[in-house]
Amino acid sequence: MFKGSIVALITPFKSNKLDEDSYISIIHHHLNNGTSGLVPAGTTGESPTLNHEEHHRVIELCVQESKGKIPVIAGTGANSTKEAVFLTQSAKEAGADACLLVTPYYNKPNQKGLFEHYKAINDAVDIPQILYNVPSRTSCDLENETVISLSQLSNIIGIKDATGELGRIDFLKEKVKNDFIFISGDDLSFLEYIGRGGHGVISVTANVKPDLMHNICHSILNGDIEKSKAMMINNIQYAKNIFTLWTESELN
């Protein structure tokens, strides 16, 4: 259910309010361009700056507009365990298929604290939950042994790994339960991550190139590694050319 190119949705605002019309258009753009899943209210969607009403609304709209065509993985992580439980329950009530739970940022809990944080959410809300490890942003690393322990809990079904450390998936795949899901959270290394047994990517690039990200993921998941690499190389060069032109125009 959770595989391929999954987009970390942006949250558009207009006049300091959620721009619902633009947000709905963005959702339908992804439905029409091959995106395999939607992540509303993730960190790309500026979840730390959304109030609870806005947070619930972007998830609710996403569920309503996608109409079950592709899964909705709601961002519900917080550095407060109580708030994370509240947001996860709210997402379940809105109809999300799963929740994405970033490690507590700023607090820098130890590994036991991280286990207890996630266990509390697991025990409180019966919905599939995906761990999210991005230490470059949170200053908090969810270590492999903690992931292994958490993978045994009933509602924790996978991890979004944005560390860029590809050896982690090699180690974890031998230790976690067989149906555990591995999703890359790093657009720079997702191709190799999937090649090592990952199921997909939660992508920022998919906001602007949903069809490309879909095609690359489709190819790699079907074993066509060379085709996937060629698409990556061609579009990296394209992006570099655009950046060069933009830089030159700014200088002139």
Side-chain angles (χ1 to χ4, degrees):
M1 186 177 184
F2 307 111
K3 64 179 182 178
S5 175
I6 303 167
V7 64
L9 286 168
I10 61 170
T11 305
F13 274 74
K14 186 175 183 180
S15 301
N16 205 33
K17 293 182 179 180
L18 174 65
D19 186 347
E20 294 196 3
D21 291 338
S22 293
Y23 185 59
I24 290 169
S25 295
I26 290 168
I27 292 167
H28 284 273
H29 178 63
H30 286 287
L31 292 174
N32 294 328
N33 282 278
T35 295
S36 299
L38 303 168
V39 178
T43 46
T44 299
E46 302 176 78
S47 56
T49 59
L50 300 177
N51 63 37
H52 288 168
E53 181 181 354
E54 292 165 340
H55 197 282
H56 182 83
R57 184 58 177 159
V58 296
I59 296 169
E60 183 179 56
L61 276 173
C62 195
V63 171
Q64 289 176 3
E65 295 300 319
S66 61
K67 296 181 173 65
K69 294 177 181 177
I70 55 177
V72 173
I73 306 170
T76 59
N79 56 353
S80 159
T81 305
K82 185 177 181 180
E83 183 179 22
V85 169
F86 171 81
L87 293 174
T88 302
Q89 182 63 43
S90 175
K92 179 182 178 180
E93 292 169 2
D97 297 290
C99 289
L100 180 66
L101 293 151
V102 71
T103 53
Y105 45 88
Y106 187 80
N107 301 18
K108 298 170 72 172
N110 59 27
Q111 296 304 303
K112 185 177 187 305
L114 283 169
F115 179 86
E116 295 299 335
H117 171 80
Y118 282 114
K119 184 178 185 301
I121 305 166
N122 172 87
D123 294 349
V125 190
D126 187 17
I127 187 173
Q129 297 166 23
I130 299 172
L131 310 169
Y132 177 17
N133 191 25
V134 55
S136 64
R137 298 283 184 179
T138 62
S139 297
C140 175
D141 186 15
L142 189 61
E143 295 176 3
N144 285 340
E145 295 300 333
T146 308
V147 174
I148 293 166
S149 297
L150 288 169
S151 75
Q152 305 307 312
L153 301 181
S154 58
N155 288 315
I156 294 179
I157 64 166
I159 185 169
K160 174 186 175 183
D161 185 343
T163 65
E165 298 175 14
L166 295 166
R168 293 196 182 211
I169 187 172
D170 299 336
F171 179 82
L172 288 170
K173 281 186 73 68
E174 302 298 322
K175 306 289 185 178
V176 297
K177 56 191 176 185
N178 291 335
D179 56 352
F180 199 71
I181 297 167
F182 291 93
I183 301 175
S184 172
D186 179 35
D187 282 354
L188 296 177
S189 63
F190 82 93
L191 192 62
E192 187 173 351
Y193 189 90
I194 296 175
R196 291 179 179 223
H199 299 90
V201 58
I202 293 177
S203 169
V204 176
T205 304
N207 279 289
V208 292
K209 284 282 189 178
D211 51 349
L212 170 68
M213 293 300 293
H214 164 77
N215 291 336
I216 292 174
C217 287
H218 180 76
S219 294
I220 189 67
L221 287 169
N222 284 279
D224 196 340
I225 298 173
E226 295 307 315
K227 183 177 179 180
S228 300
K229 287 181 178 178
M231 283 189 281
M232 282 282 286
I233 291 168
N234 289 340
N235 282 276
I236 288 170
Q237 187 58 52
Y238 171 80
K240 286 180 178 178
N241 291 341
I242 293 295
F243 180 75
T244 300
L245 290 171
W246 175 80
T247 304
E248 289 174 352
S249 67
E250 286 292 299
L251 292 173
N252 294 331

